[in-house]
Amino acid sequence: MRSKNIIAILILLVASFEGYSQYDNLYAFFGIGQAYYQGDLNATAFPNTNILNTSYKGGIGYNLHTRFGAQVHYTHFKLNGSDFFNNDEGMAARGLSFTSPLKEFGINFKLRNLNGKEGRWINYIFTGVNFFSFNPTVTKATSSETNYVPEEGYKKSGVNIPLGIALGYWATNNIGIVWETSLHVTYTDYIDGISKNANAEYKDAFVDSHIMILFRFGKWQGLKKGSQKKSKGFRMKKTGAIGCPRF
């Protein structure tokens, strides 16, 4: 399914909930950021600027409780790497490079309000299960000294586990901004299309980071100063105690 179709479906689902008070804890998000690959063609923890790529992320979320929440998202970006970005002369002599689009759809679970308080400040850690697809194209430099044989028959999709953290702020009761970043642990060594020609013992991974706008579906309180004072972020509605019936 094309990325535009998926985003349109998410928007329609969210729009269908608007106006119902029971969905006050439902919100939509969309943002832009960067992603980079970690694997045989980039063995360092911090990326070379040549492998940073623009990433787009959008979806819907729901805060189930003051401390717990869930999100469904779609992310689209590309990954790339090259032996020529490596400081190791031996790796540079191998002369392999790759580029690959990556699409991801996932369900993530959040542990919210790490400071124990519900308010304007947004903070959470998250993990979950993401399904992703990729399609690497590997090239070999004419100066390469390795006997590279293109690999075929490997799966170009799989599951990854995100390990992430986020910080943000609710500007009003309806609009917020959040920075979110995560490491995606995968179970494949073929994101770069190279395994037998590299170290198959270590699986590939990737990291993404996004600045996202949040829109909470509930009663619109506007952008005026007075309305912002009333905003306290997401709160689950309190219910009174249930008493025993009297006869």
Side-chain angles (χ1 to χ4, degrees), residues 205-222:
F206 57 93
V207 176
D208 61 3
S209 180
H210 300 88
I211 297 291
M212 300 188 294
I213 299 298
L214 310 178
F215 182 82
R216 177 192 176 193
F217 286 85
K219 183 178 179 180
W220 174 253
Q221 296 194 15

Side-chain angles (χ1 to χ4, degrees), residues 133-147:
S133 62
F134 53 96
N135 188 22
T137 299
V138 181
T139 57
K140 174 184 173 182
T142 55
S143 60
S144 174
E145 300 177 2
T146 188
N147 182 24

Side-chain angles (χ1 to χ4, degrees), residues 36-39 79 183-186 188 191 203-207:
Y36 68 92
Y37 144 92
Q38 287 187 320
L79 297 174
L183 167 68
H184 297 252
V185 180
T186 80
T188 178
I191 288 180
K203 305 304 180 183
D204 294 332
F206 57 93
V207 176

Side-chain angles (χ1 to χ4, degrees), residues 139-187:
T139 57
K140 174 184 173 182
T142 55
S143 60
S144 174
E145 300 177 2
T146 188
N147 182 24
Y148 169 69
V149 178
E151 299 178 47
E152 299 178 353
Y154 55 86
K155 293 181 62 176
K156 296 182 180 180
S157 62
V159 173
N160 73 73
I161 306 299
L163 303 172
I165 188 171
L167 297 171
Y169 185 77
W170 285 103
T172 74
N173 200 49
N174 301 91
I175 298 176
I177 186 170
V178 66
W179 167 76
E180 189 179 275
T181 186
S182 60
L183 167 68
H184 297 252
V185 180
T186 80
Y187 299 92

Side-chain angles (χ1 to χ4, degrees), residues 17 19-26 62-63 217-218 236-237:
F17 292 137
Y20 292 90
S21 60
Q22 61 264 41
Y23 295 108
D24 283 346
N25 288 308
L26 180 73
Y62 192 85
N63 290 324
F217 286 85
M236 300 298 292
K237 293 186 175 181

Side-chain angles (χ1 to χ4, degrees), residues 57 61 75-76 170 222 235:
K57 182 175 183 178
T75 311
H76 180 79
W170 285 103
R235 284 187 183 276

Side-chain angles (χ1 to χ4, degrees), residues 35-179:
Y36 68 92
Y37 144 92
Q38 287 187 320
D40 298 306
L41 276 69
N42 176 43
T44 61
F46 298 99
N48 182 299
T49 55
N50 292 296
I51 65 171
L52 288 174
N53 296 280
T54 302
S55 175
Y56 301 94
K57 182 175 183 178
I60 57 176
Y62 192 85
N63 290 324
L64 305 166
H65 183 268
T66 305
R67 300 302 301 274
F68 306 106
Q71 292 184 164
V72 177
H73 74 272
Y74 174 79
T75 311
H76 180 79
F77 53 87
K78 78 170 186 176
L79 297 174
N80 73 291
S82 176
D83 287 333
F84 294 110
F85 304 149
N86 201 312
N87 295 326
D88 188 319
E89 294 183 1
M91 295 294 290
R94 188 174 62 169
L96 299 179
S97 303
F98 91 97
T99 182
S100 174
L102 192 146
K103 300 177 181 180
E104 177 185 82
F105 177 82
I107 301 175
N108 295 167
F109 300 96
K110 307 186 300 180
L111 178 61
R112 308 172 56 235
N113 300 318
L114 303 179
N115 59 357
K117 298 180 180 179
E118 180 90 61
R120 284 184 175 272
W121 291 103
I122 302 168
N123 57 89
Y124 58 87
I125 57 177
F126 64 94
T127 188
V129 179
N130 297 332
F131 302 91
F132 71 108
S133 62
F134 53 96
N135 188 22
T137 299
V138 181
T139 57
K140 174 184 173 182
T142 55
S143 60
S144 174
E145 300 177 2
T146 188
N147 182 24
Y148 169 69
V149 178
E151 299 178 47
E152 299 178 353
Y154 55 86
K155 293 181 62 176
K156 296 182 180 180
S157 62
V159 173
N160 73 73
I161 306 299
L163 303 172
I165 188 171
L167 297 171
Y169 185 77
W170 285 103
T172 74
N173 200 49
N174 301 91
I175 298 176
I177 186 170
V178 66
W179 167 76

